[in-house]
Amino acid sequence: MIKGILIINNHGKPRIAKFFEYFTEDKQQQIIREVFQLISRRSDRSCNFLEGGSLWGKETKLIYRHYATLFFVFCVDSSESELGILDLIQVFVETLDKCFENVCELDLIFHLDKVHYILDEIVMGGMVLETSLPAIVTAVDAQNKIEKTENPLMTGIKDVLQTIKR
């Protein structure tokens, strides 16, 4: 089971923190700091798996990938496959890249709701739901279409523009 998903930049600032176990906010901040300290010290040539540290426990593994300025970290228990989670991280990053067209850290900051929606298509409640990139992108595109058709602000603006044209 996945216990948490963290996206942390090179300076230790969390961009996404999603926990599937309850922790107080102080404990979450401690976990984020400890995870960043553990993974930021490692060289890029090191293995992408390590023990979860003192706050997660010995049975927890941290599986991460470092892309550009971001660390994508999945905290999992011993029942999860390390290589499967690495593949899941790759699918998540590729989905972000397709949805944002060359994703960057600012996309995660300014489109937090969309990133959480993408993550919810992949993982829900600590369980993996979908690993197929085309299926995830199709669901995200469908959600975007619904948002465009149901956006009350846009319909209000269209109504005002039509009134002005008359």
Side-chain angles (χ1 to χ4, degrees):
M1 183 171 154
I2 298 171
K3 295 183 174 190
I5 299 171
L6 306 172
I7 301 175
I8 307 170
N9 73 5
N10 286 342
H11 303 291
K13 293 192 189 306
R15 296 305 180 199
I16 302 280
K18 190 165 196 152
F19 293 91
F20 298 106
E21 290 183 352
Y22 175 75
F23 293 107
T24 64
E25 193 169 328
D26 289 339
K27 181 96 168 176
Q28 289 179 9
Q29 294 301 318
Q30 288 175 343
I31 288 170
I32 291 167
R33 276 192 298 274
E34 182 182 38
V35 166
F36 178 72
Q37 288 174 355
L38 287 170
I39 62 176
S40 64
R41 291 185 200 150
R42 297 170 63 91
S43 76
D44 288 338
R45 296 187 187 273
S46 296
C47 177
N48 291 2
F49 322 132
L50 64 146
E51 284 187 1
S54 62
L55 295 172
W56 283 104
K58 294 287 182 191
E59 70 281 349
T60 302
K61 299 178 277 189
L62 300 177
I63 302 168
Y64 71 95
R65 293 288 303 263
H66 187 212
Y67 293 99
T69 62
L70 297 170
F71 289 98
F72 290 78
V73 185
F74 279 54
C75 308
V76 301
D77 63 15
S78 58
S79 67
E80 294 290 340
S81 162
E82 291 94 345
L83 295 176
I85 296 297
L86 273 179
D87 188 45
L88 191 64
I89 293 171
Q90 182 69 30
V91 167
F92 179 46
V93 171
E94 285 181 21
T95 304
L96 290 173
D97 202 45
K98 282 201 183 292
C99 292
F100 292 111
E101 297 172 9
N102 208 2
V103 69
C104 68
E105 187 174 347
L106 289 175
D107 291 322
L108 301 181
I109 294 168
F110 292 117
H111 302 286
L112 189 63
D113 56 336
K114 191 171 182 180
V115 174
H116 275 285
Y117 180 76
I118 292 167
L119 196 52
D120 288 344
E121 284 294 319
I122 299 171
V123 177
M124 181 76 66
M127 303 299 288
V128 177
L129 295 178
E130 185 63 68
T131 59
S132 168
L133 182 65
I136 298 165
V137 171
T138 301
V140 171
D141 289 343
Q143 178 66 25
N144 289 340
K145 286 178 186 173
I146 291 170
E147 285 178 6
K148 286 179 183 175
T149 59
E150 292 184 356
N151 190 344
L153 180 62
M154 290 306 294
T155 55
I157 292 171
K158 288 178 186 175
D159 291 343
V160 169
L161 288 175
Q162 287 177 353
T163 306
I164 291 172
K165 287 181 182 178
R166 292 181 196 167

